[in-house]
Structures are given as structure tokens and as C-alpha cells.
């Protein structure tokens, strides 16, 4: 039996790590202008592609534009004003990694490096007026606006589109403040709107001036929540920083096998003959971040890099009885015999017949297998001498 409740939409590590997400925003803009594979280019786009191919096949010396037509851009990174204009310049990224965060599942969907921008492109992308030339002609009295915008010596313009979808994080995170930033050289340059539940689908395009061969960390999308920081490179689509490497290395699924079942009756001793109970272990999943209600262990936050949280919602179906006291406990047994107790308070974990008990453990990230053991025990409110103990319910958990 395999539990399939990962903390995100991807079901395998390979799907997590190597895919592009295309649902809205820049993706549609790119598709609309024929830049994505399978898109139909219009005549001008096709002619442009043919011209570019011919230029690549016929190497020639690149001549510098006249000095009295050139201006050098003066900014680090900014959000693009006209994403349609940006879409015409970028090409699709096929191998971006996916940054997974409780309120963001982000990938780089398109990018390009440019040696220069035309005056029209500069205005469309930046929303700013065309600057004056760096070296005006002294014989010309009127204002001399540039027709070519350069990024500077040994620099290029980086144009990148990113997109985020809902990660469907499990367990669902209680409303928590989190921030998204565009960073430049490690500094938080652009603060995006804070994200919250139901507000994870977003996109953006940025323009930055970078080295001709830029480092992956020059421009990044940073997600912060609690003490956990994750960064996705907007240069090459790689994961730069994460508090949860286990999530990317091995995924978050848990396989369940050899699960035993309990079907029993406990004397009610009051208004009914028996309280019936059916219990077993049918599902479990891993999560690097738990900040939910007390049923899920409360505010555990991010697990450390060498640990991960294990969440086990138990199947524990029973009748309500005001006279039966449930004294059941659950432990996780590691291969070396170590027994871990759940984050929940076991005195209240099994008390309500109206909700399913959940056991949350923090385990070593490199753990391959463990055994969950539920030890059913019952008493009666009106009879302190009454006790009923059942054989343990067990299940083997494997972490692929």
C-alpha cells in the first residue's frame, strides 16, 4: 500500500526537479507570439528566426553602434512593464527546477541574455523614457536620445519570466505571513506582494543587468517563511537555497505495508452495550514544514536539514461513549529499536470520537524504514478498575 498525500502536486522527485509550469501570464504571452515549441510563428517572427540563423551561420565582426546613438542603462533589476514585449524576446526554458514552498511552487519558464536593447524595447520593458546618449554630438543643439541601450562593459541584459502555482501543501498551513522577493547579488531588491493560502498562483518578468556570463545567484526568487529561506535562480532555473534538501532529493511519499487491523468492542457500562472500534494505518506522508493545528503537532516549523516530519493520519473509527476512556498510545520504532513519541499530546490524541487521531514525528532525513505501533488500551469513567488492552496495531513504513 502506498500513501499518496505528498506536500505538493508532483508525485516523483524527477517531476519536482525538472519541469516547466505553464498555466498563465508570461507562458501565454510567449505562446501567443510564437516563441514556445509548437507555437505558430507569424511571418515577422519566422523571418526574424531565419535572419538569426543566417547570422549564426555566417560569422562576422560585430561593429559597435555610433557613439552618438548609444546610452548605457543605469539600474540593477526591475519588474518588466510590458510582458508582451518581453515574450517576443525570450525563449522557453525546458529544464528549470521547481522551488516548492508552502505558498509557492515556482519555476523559470522563459529567459534570454541580450547585448543591447532598442529604444522601443527599453521603454516597453522598463516603462521609462529613452535616455540621452552618453556622448552627444557637440555640433547638435537639441536633445539627443539614444537609439541603442547598452548594459555596460562586459555586461548583458537578463530577461526572465517565472511562474508559481499552488503547491497544495500538506498538512495545510495555518494562515502565516510569508514574503516573496526578487534578489540581486544576494540583496532583496524587489519585494513582491506577501502570499497566503489561495494566493499562490502568480507570475512575473524581470529585467536585470548581469555579467556577460552571469553567476546563478545573481538574480533569484526568494521565498521566506519562519526560519526557512528558499531561492530559485532566475538565471538558470536551479535551486540555490533550501532548508529541506530531502524534499528534492527523495520526494515526500511513504509506502505502507504489513498493516494490521483492530476490530474490537469495549463494554460501555452505561447507556449502551458496547463501543465498537475499527483501527488501522492506511496513509502517511512526509513534510519538511508543519505549522498547523494541534492535531498535526502544532507549530513545528521547518525540520532541520538532516530531519523531516512524518505525518500519520490514523484510521480510527469508533462510536461515541461518554463512559469509555481511551488510553491508547502510539510510537514510531526505528530500525535500531529507538522509540519516538509523536508531537501531539497523547492524553488528548484519542479522546474525541468525532475526529481522526494524527501522529506527527520528526525523523532522520536519511531514514529508509520504520514501524508505527499503536497500543490500544481502554478504561471506564465510572469503574476505575476496568481495563481492556488489545494487541498493537502495526504497519511498516518505507521512505523511497
Amino acid at each position: 500500500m502506498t500513501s499518496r498525500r505528498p506536500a505538493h502536486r508532483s508525485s516523483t522527485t524527477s517531476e519536482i526537479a525538472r519541469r516547466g509550469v505553464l498555466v498563465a501570464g508570461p507562458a501565454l504571452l510567449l505562446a501567443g507570439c510564437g516563441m514556445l515549441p509548437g507555437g505558430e510563428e507569424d511571418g515577422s517572427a519566422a523571418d526574424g528566426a531565419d535572419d538569426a540563423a543566417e547570422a549564426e551561420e555566417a560569422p562576422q565582426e560585430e561593429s559597435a553602434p555610433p557613439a552618438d546613438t548609444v546610452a548605457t542603462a543605469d539600474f540593477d533589476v526591475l519588474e518588466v512593464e510590458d510582458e508582451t514585449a518581453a515574450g517576443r524576446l525570450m525563449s522557453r526554458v525546458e529544464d528549470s527546477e521547481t522551488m516548492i514552498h508552502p505558498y509557492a511552487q515556482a519555476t523559470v519558464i522563459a529567459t534570454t541574455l541580450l547585448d543591447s536593447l532598442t529604444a522601443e524595447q527599453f521603454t516597453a520593458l522598463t516603462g521609462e523614457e529613452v535616455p540621452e546618449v552618453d556622448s552627444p554630438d557637440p555640433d547638435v543643439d537639441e536633445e539627443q536620445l539614444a537609439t541603442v541601450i547598452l548594459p555596460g562593459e562586459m555586461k548583458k541584459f537578463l530577461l526572465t519570466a517565472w511562474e508559481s502555482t499552488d503547491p497544495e501543501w500538506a498538512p495545510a498551513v495555518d494562515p502565516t505571513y510569508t514574503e516573496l522577493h526578487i534578489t540581486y547579488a544576494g540583496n532583496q531588491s524587489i519585494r513582491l506582494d506577501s502570499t497566503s493560502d489561495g494566493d499562490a498562483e502568480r507570475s512575473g518578468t524581470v529585467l536585470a543587468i548581469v555579467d556577460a556570463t552571469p553567476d546563478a545567484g545573481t538574480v533569484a526568487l526568494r521565498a521566506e517563511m519562519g526560519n526557512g529561506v528558499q531561492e530559485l535562480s532566475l538565471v538558470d532555473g536551479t535551486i540555490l537555497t533550501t532548508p529541506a534538501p530531502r524534499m528534492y532529493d527523495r520526494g515526500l511519499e511513504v509506502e505502507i505495508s504489513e498493516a494490521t487491523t483492530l476490530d474490537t468492542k469495549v463494554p460501555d457500562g452505561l447507556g449502551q452495550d458496547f463501543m465498537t472500534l475499527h483501527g488501522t494505518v492506511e496513509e502517511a506522508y512526509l513534510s519538511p514544514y508543519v505549522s498547523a493545528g494541534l492535531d498535526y503537532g502544532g507549530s513545528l516549523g521547518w525540520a532541520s536539514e538532516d530531519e523531516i516530519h512524518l505525518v500519520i493520519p490514523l484510521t480510527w473509527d469508533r462510536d461515541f461513549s461518554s463512559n469509555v476512556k481511551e488510553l491508547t498510545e502510539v510510537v514510531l520504532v526505528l530500525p535500531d529499536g529507538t522509540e519516538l513519541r509523536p508531537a501531539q499530546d497523547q492524553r488528548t490524541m484519542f479522546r474525541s470520537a468525532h475526529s481522526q487521531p494524527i501522529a506527527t514525528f520528526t525523523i532522520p532525513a536519511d531514514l529508509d524504514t520504520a514501524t508505527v505501533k499503536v497500543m490500544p488500551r481502554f478504561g471506564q469513567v465510572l469503574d476505575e478498575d476496568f481495563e481492556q488492552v488489545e494487541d498493537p496495531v502495526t504497519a511498516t513504513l518505507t521512505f523511497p
Side-chain angles (χ1 to χ4, degrees), residues 185-233:
N187 298 315
Q188 296 181 349
S189 296
I190 301 174
R191 176 179 171 182
L192 306 174
D193 293 337
S194 62
T195 60
S196 59
D197 188 22
D199 187 30
E201 295 190 1
R202 57 181 59 225
S203 61
T205 303
V206 298
L207 178 68
I209 296 176
V210 298
D211 291 338
T213 305
D215 181 79
T218 303
V219 186
L221 176 67
R222 176 181 294 174
E224 298 185 32
M225 189 161 65
N227 62 349
V229 175
Q230 296 209 73
E231 290 181 307
L232 172 71
S233 169

Side-chain angles (χ1 to χ4, degrees), residues 8-322:
H8 49 79
R9 199 172 276 149
S10 302
S11 60
T12 65
T13 304
S14 61
E15 289 175 334
I16 293 172
R18 314 299 289 178
R19 68 176 185 171
V21 180
L22 300 172
V23 296
L28 293 180
L29 294 172
L30 286 168
C33 59
M35 295 299 294
L36 296 182
E40 294 183 2
E41 299 179 347
D42 59 24
S44 60
D47 293 342
D50 292 340
D51 292 343
E54 291 175 5
E56 289 183 2
E57 292 173 1
Q60 53 186 338
E61 288 189 17
E62 184 177 338
S63 58
D68 59 358
T69 65
V70 171
T72 302
D74 184 21
F75 63 87
D76 293 328
V77 61
L78 48 80
E79 291 185 277
V80 166
E81 295 286 324
D82 187 340
E83 291 183 335
T84 302
R88 296 192 184 100
L89 296 170
M90 295 183 290
S91 56
R92 177 172 175 165
V93 173
E94 298 286 355
D95 60 352
S96 173
E97 295 182 335
T98 300
M99 181 182 73
I100 305 169
H101 181 77
Y103 288 136
Q105 182 168 275
T107 56
V108 174
I109 60 173
T111 190
T112 189
L113 285 171
L114 302 169
D115 293 318
S116 63
L117 295 172
T118 66
E120 293 77 10
Q121 290 168 344
F122 176 83
T123 298
L125 297 178
T126 67
E128 299 177 1
E129 295 182 356
V130 178
E132 293 189 48
V133 297
D134 293 337
S135 302
D137 187 337
D139 297 328
V140 178
D141 293 332
E142 69 264 19
E143 184 180 38
Q144 300 176 49
L145 299 181
T147 57
V148 178
I149 316 299
L150 299 180
E153 188 175 357
M154 304 297 291
K155 301 287 185 178
K156 289 194 175 185
F157 291 112
L158 171 71
L159 187 60
T160 298
W162 62 274
E163 195 161 61
S164 174
T165 58
D166 188 348
E168 297 183 353
W169 195 270
V173 177
D174 282 347
T176 303
Y177 183 74
T178 186
E179 293 183 2
L180 289 180
H181 290 267
I182 301 296
T183 69
Y184 184 85
N187 298 315
Q188 296 181 349
S189 296
I190 301 174
R191 176 179 171 182
L192 306 174
D193 293 337
S194 62
T195 60
S196 59
D197 188 22
D199 187 30
E201 295 190 1
R202 57 181 59 225
S203 61
T205 303
V206 298
L207 178 68
I209 296 176
V210 298
D211 291 338
T213 305
D215 181 79
T218 303
V219 186
L221 176 67
R222 176 181 294 174
E224 298 185 32
M225 189 161 65
N227 62 349
V229 175
Q230 296 209 73
E231 290 181 307
L232 172 71
S233 169
L234 296 184
V235 176
D236 63 7
T238 57
I239 301 296
L240 300 172
T241 305
T242 177
R246 168 67 169 77
M247 174 171 61
Y248 297 97
D249 295 340
R250 296 175 60 182
L252 298 173
E253 289 189 349
V254 178
E255 295 178 359
I256 301 174
S257 60
E258 301 176 352
T260 62
T261 299
L262 170 67
D263 285 291
T264 190
K265 294 181 178 181
V266 181
D268 177 81
L270 190 61
Q272 61 193 59
D273 292 334
F274 296 97
M275 182 198 79
T276 62
L277 186 148
H278 168 78
T280 189
V281 179
E282 296 180 335
E283 61 176 324
Y285 58 91
L286 299 171
S287 180
Y289 183 83
V290 173
S291 180
L294 293 176
D295 286 348
Y296 285 91
S299 300
L300 300 180
W302 291 99
S304 63
E305 286 195 7
D306 58 352
E307 294 180 326
I308 197 161
H309 303 307
L310 168 66
V311 182
I312 310 173
L314 301 175
T315 298
W316 211 251
D317 301 322
R318 59 228 147 128
D319 301 326
F320 172 75
S321 171
S322 61

Side-chain angles (χ1 to χ4, degrees), residues 317-371:
D317 301 322
R318 59 228 147 128
D319 301 326
F320 172 75
S321 171
S322 61
N323 192 42
V324 173
K325 294 190 299 184
E326 186 157 4
L327 307 172
T328 300
E329 294 187 345
V330 57
V331 296
L332 187 72
V333 185
L334 305 188
D336 63 0
T338 300
E339 291 189 353
L340 302 180
R341 300 180 68 81
Q344 291 84 352
D345 183 350
Q346 300 214 57
R347 293 173 299 178
T348 60
M349 205 169 147
F350 291 89
R351 280 190 180 175
S352 175
H354 305 293
S355 61
Q356 298 295 314
I358 299 168
T360 304
F361 304 89
T362 300
I363 62 175
D366 60 358
L367 194 65
D368 293 321
T369 186
T371 300

